[in-house]
């Protein structure tokens, strides 16, 4: 459902992505690993439609459509979700109001009636239980004063609410202690269906102990330099990224 | 991005002011210009007692000696006071004894503004005094309120029916010597609202006045006087709009509130005077003096304002905390866009012991506008245990607007605690993108963020008004991405 062909992209004139190709089918979990500065978050930004990143070549097809033609909110309505590496605080805007607006905008885009307040609250309760998020978090303002772990859990909660077809999780594991990591990973696993897919971007193999990927790709200097099954993650953990770097130099 | 922003800003600023229409109604004008004869004419048109005419003339003579204040952070063009018409009244067919006899044109006007004058059409308990130009068109629910001893009528009617109350209280909180515009108002004031809540009565419905400027080249100079007797409570709302015209129009009002022992008055304003077009042409000059006197012990006066309109706003609703343990509050959201200018804030004067005041001011500036908070907290020598907390936040959108804060503190009592907090922020691109990613459009995202920012103030508004005010904020700022 997602096809990336020879994608090149730059930020402020500096080329970050240098020809990425990737294909994601329904039900697949892809892990993208790589050292800092290799372009992992940039790839996530391109998929979500962040203006900061300029695509200079290549294409991204979403269910046959040109994804790059769509605005960020249209992509969201299409079922693409980005779990932010640094979730943003929006003071004074309650989670309830924020999620209600998000869900109803998405329903509007699909020609559906807005959810009634009671149905909405019911949905919220269900999803809260599903992802085991503390009740208190959803009665506060969006991410305001949340700890790092709470922010990440909140991302997973929003993902549960929006039921995306493709979830791109950008370093969702960074800054999490092991318990929070488990909550986040459980959430992701519970939301998994044969139809939806995820791209899990991570620096460490740790997360992949909990979320088992079908494919692991190594991104290095703006290119996918290695793709393999889940065992690649273990190998990376053991040998470090230097191993890949060396392999590349020799090639 | 830059280009997009400009485009969105342009689109928005060209969007129409919803209330800019003009009512075609025959209007009784007096000749333009200001002199003692004009004042005598206004007074005689209103059939006023001698003491009021005297008051007006004294105010006028005082005003002539005064100069326009220059201290505000505003660029105010020269105003030619001889070019203004000081009295304009829509002509109605004679004798209005029931609401059915309100001129259909006027009824239609207020309907269009969302203020139906038929009592049965009101969904909620809100009594309205509808003022167009220099006269009150209709006050609803007068009889219902009268059963509780509450007087709610136009200022003009109060002058006729309760001259003693007017004489006793008018000008006691805002004397005509107070400032330039207060003096001008005291000389030429036309209509406004009057309200008296007797001892121990909790007013069962929201009282409200809706001010509408319609006639061209006129000024509006209304006066409102609210008195809450011992233990009384009232929540009062004020709304205002004006037609879209190329010339500026002057609005200089006075609001006086008096709260006796244990009385509480909540005064809310949603100010949406025509702000001028995107190039800063036209719009209302809004120069208003609003002040409450917490005269009795344990009395409380609370001002809430949502200011989105006017080309220039100059207003500092304040409280004189004279009674011991009295409380003054000021909650404000002031939005400026395009070329609008606002210099607004509050004055809290602590005189009594253990008096408390709170100021929460949220400025939102967009376009090429200038938005200033100016506030005075004064603690007098005997105000043992006085407390003030002020919070002034500014939100900037775009890089062509300005936000300024001018807090003044004069504290003459060592036991006083006075706190001031201020922040300045911008709507971040990352916040908007975050909303976008969740499927929320940029317009809606700004609406959410701004309403979140202003929530503390909007929460103070009565329900019926809060929703209106939220929409108004969104409309005033649509697309002003920063």
């Amino acid at each position: 459902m997602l096809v990336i062909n020879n994608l090149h992209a730059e930020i402020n004139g500096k080329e970050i992505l240098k020809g990425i190709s990737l294909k994601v089918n329904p039900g697949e979990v892809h892990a993208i690993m790589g050292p800092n500065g290799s372009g992992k978050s940039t790839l996530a930004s391109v998929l979500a439609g962040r203006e900061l990143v300029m695509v200079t070549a290549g294409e991204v097809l979403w269910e046959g459509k040109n994804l790059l033609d769509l605005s960020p909110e249209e992509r969201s309505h299409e079922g693409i979700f980005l779990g932010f590496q640094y979730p943003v605080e929006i003071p004074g805007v309650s989670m309830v109001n924020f999620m209600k607006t998000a869900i109803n905008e998405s329903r509007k885009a699909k020609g559906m009636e807005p959810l009634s307040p009671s149905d909405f609250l019911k949905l919220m309760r269900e999803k809260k239980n599903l992802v085991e998020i503390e009740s208190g978090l959803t009665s506060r303002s969006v991410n305001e004063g949340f700890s790092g772990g709470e922010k990440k859990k909140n991302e997973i909660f929003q993902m549960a609410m929006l039921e995306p077809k493709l979830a791109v999780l950008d370093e969702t594991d960074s800054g999490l202690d092991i318990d929070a990591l488990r909550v986040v990973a459980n959430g992701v696993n519970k939301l998994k269906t044969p139809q939806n897919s995820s791209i899990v971007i991570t620096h460490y193999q740790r997360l992949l102990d909990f979320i088992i990927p079908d494919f692991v790709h190594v991104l290095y200097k703006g290119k996918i330099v290695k793709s393999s099954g889940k065992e690649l993650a273990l190998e990376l953990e053991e040998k470090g990224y230097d191993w890949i770097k060396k392999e590349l130099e020799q090639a | 991005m830059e280009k997009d922003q400009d485009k969105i800003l342009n689109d928005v600023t060209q969007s129409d002011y919803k209330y800019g229409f003009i009512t075609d109604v025959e209007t009784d004008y007096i000749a333009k210009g200001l002199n003692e004869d004009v004042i005598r004419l206004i007074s005689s048109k209103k059939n006023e007692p001698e003491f009021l005419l005297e008051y007006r003339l004294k105010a006028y003579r005082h005003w002539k000696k005064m100069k326009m204040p220059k201290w505000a952070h505003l660029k105010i063009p020269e105003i030619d006071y001889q070019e203004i018409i000081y009295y304009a009244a829509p002509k109605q067919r004679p004798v209005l004894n029931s609401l059915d006899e309100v001129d259909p044109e006027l009824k239609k006007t207020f309907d269009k503004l969302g203020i139906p004058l038929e009592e049965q059409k009101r969904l909620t308990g809100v009594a309205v005094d509808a003022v167009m130009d220099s006269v009150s068109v209709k006050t609803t629910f007068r009889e219902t309120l009268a059963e509780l001893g509450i007087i709610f009528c136009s200022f003009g009617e109060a002058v006729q029916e309760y001259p003693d109350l007017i004489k006793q209280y008018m000008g006691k909180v805002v004397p005509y010597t107070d400032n330039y515009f207060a003096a001008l108002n005291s000389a030429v004031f036309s209509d406004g609202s009057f309200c008296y809540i007797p001892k121990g009565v909790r007013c069962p419905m929201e009282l409200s006045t809706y001010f509408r400027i319609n006639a061209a080249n006129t000024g509006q100079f209304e006066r409102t006087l609210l008195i809450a007797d011992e233990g009384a409570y009232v929540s009062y709302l004020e709304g205002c709009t004006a037609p879209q015209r190329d010339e500026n129009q002057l609005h200089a009002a006075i609001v006086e509130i008096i709260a006796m022992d244990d009385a509480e008055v909540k005064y809310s304003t949603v100010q949406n005077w025509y702000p001028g077009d995107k190039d800063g042409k036209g719009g209302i000059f809004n120069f208003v003096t609003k002040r409450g006197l917490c005269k009795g012990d344990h009395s409380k006066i609370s001002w809430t304002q949502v200011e989105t309109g006017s080309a220039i706003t100059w207003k500092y609703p304040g409280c004189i905390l004279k009674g011991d343990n009295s409380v003054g509050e000021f909650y404000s959201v002031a939005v400026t866009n395009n070329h609008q200018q606002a210099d607004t804030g509050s004055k809290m004067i602590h005189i009594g012991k253990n008096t408390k005041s709170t100021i929460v001011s949220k400025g939102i500036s967009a376009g090429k506008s200038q938005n200033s908070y100016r506030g005075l907290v004064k603690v007098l020598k005997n105000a043992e245990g006085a407390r003030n907390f002020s919070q002034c936040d500014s939100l900037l959108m775009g890089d062509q607007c300005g936000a300024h804060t001018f807090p003044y503190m004069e504290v003459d009592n060592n036991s006083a605690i006075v706190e001031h907090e201020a922040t300045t922020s911008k709507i971040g691109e990352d916040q908007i993108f975050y909303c976008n990613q969740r499927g929320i459009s940029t317009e809606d995202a700004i609406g959410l963020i701004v309403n979140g920012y202003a929530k503390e103030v909007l929460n103070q508004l009565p329900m019926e008004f809060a929703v209106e005010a939220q929409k108004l904020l969104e409309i005033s700022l649509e697309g002003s991405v920063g």
Side-chain angles (χ1 to χ4, degrees), chain A residues 48 50-51 72-73 76-77 80-82 84 88-93 98 102 105 143 155 158, chain B residues 1 4 429-431 433-442 444 448-453 455:
Chain A
R50 191 151 212 163
E51 277 191 54
E73 57 269 32
S76 170
H77 301 156
I80 294 178
F81 177 89
L82 172 65
F84 283 67
V88 180
E89 300 192 8
I90 310 179
V93 178
F98 181 69
E105 286 286 305
N143 293 324
E155 293 293 292
Q158 292 177 47
Chain B
M1 186 71 191
D4 282 0
E429 217 177 292
D430 54 344
Q431 286 175 322
F433 180 69
Y434 192 73
C435 295
N436 288 161
Q437 210 300 307
R438 300 306 186 239
I440 301 168
S441 70
T442 301
D444 290 348
L448 268 180
I449 296 166
V450 165
N451 275 311
Y453 167 79
K455 190 151 98 181

Side-chain angles (χ1 to χ4, degrees), chain B residues 290-436:
Chain B
K290 290 182 169 180
R291 198 170 302 147
L293 171 62
C294 284
K295 195 173 181 191
D297 294 348
H298 299 280
S299 57
K300 177 176 174 183
I301 293 176
S302 179
W303 299 99
T304 304
Q305 57 172 28
V306 175
E307 304 274 318
T308 59
S310 299
I312 304 178
T313 296
W314 179 98
K315 98 184 232 207
Y316 315 91
C319 299
I320 300 169
L321 304 169
K322 196 171 171 209
D324 290 346
N325 300 300
S326 60
V327 176
E329 294 175 336
F330 173 75
Y331 296 94
S332 168
V333 179
V335 180
T336 53
N337 199 351
N338 298 323
H339 290 265
Q340 279 177 279
Q341 306 176 60
D343 192 299
T344 183
S346 185
K347 274 189 197 178
M348 294 290 175
I349 316 292
H350 293 254
I351 301 172
K353 292 183 178 47
N354 300 316
T355 46
K356 256 202 259 178
S357 64
T358 305
I359 295 175
V360 176
S361 161
K362 305 262 182 180
I364 303 170
S365 350
K368 296 183 170 122
S369 68
Q370 294 292 331
N371 199 328
S372 306
Y373 165 82
R374 185 183 306 277
L376 169 68
V377 176
K378 190 169 179 165
V379 178
L380 273 70
K381 221 167 77 193
N382 294 325
E384 211 57 47
R387 286 215 59 161
N388 162 267
F389 174 74
S390 302
Q391 184 188 331
C392 305
D393 298 332
S394 312
L395 187 69
L396 296 163
M397 298 171 134
D399 52 10
Q400 297 180 65
C401 54
H404 317 272
T405 305
F406 304 100
Y408 304 85
M409 286 177 201
E410 295 169 23
V411 181
D412 289 327
N413 184 303
N414 287 336
S415 66
I417 301 173
V418 177
E419 291 173 80
H420 180 94
E421 283 180 11
T423 66
T424 303
S425 52
K426 287 189 93 166
I427 289 193
E429 217 177 292
D430 54 344
Q431 286 175 322
I432 291 176
F433 180 69
Y434 192 73
C435 295
N436 288 161

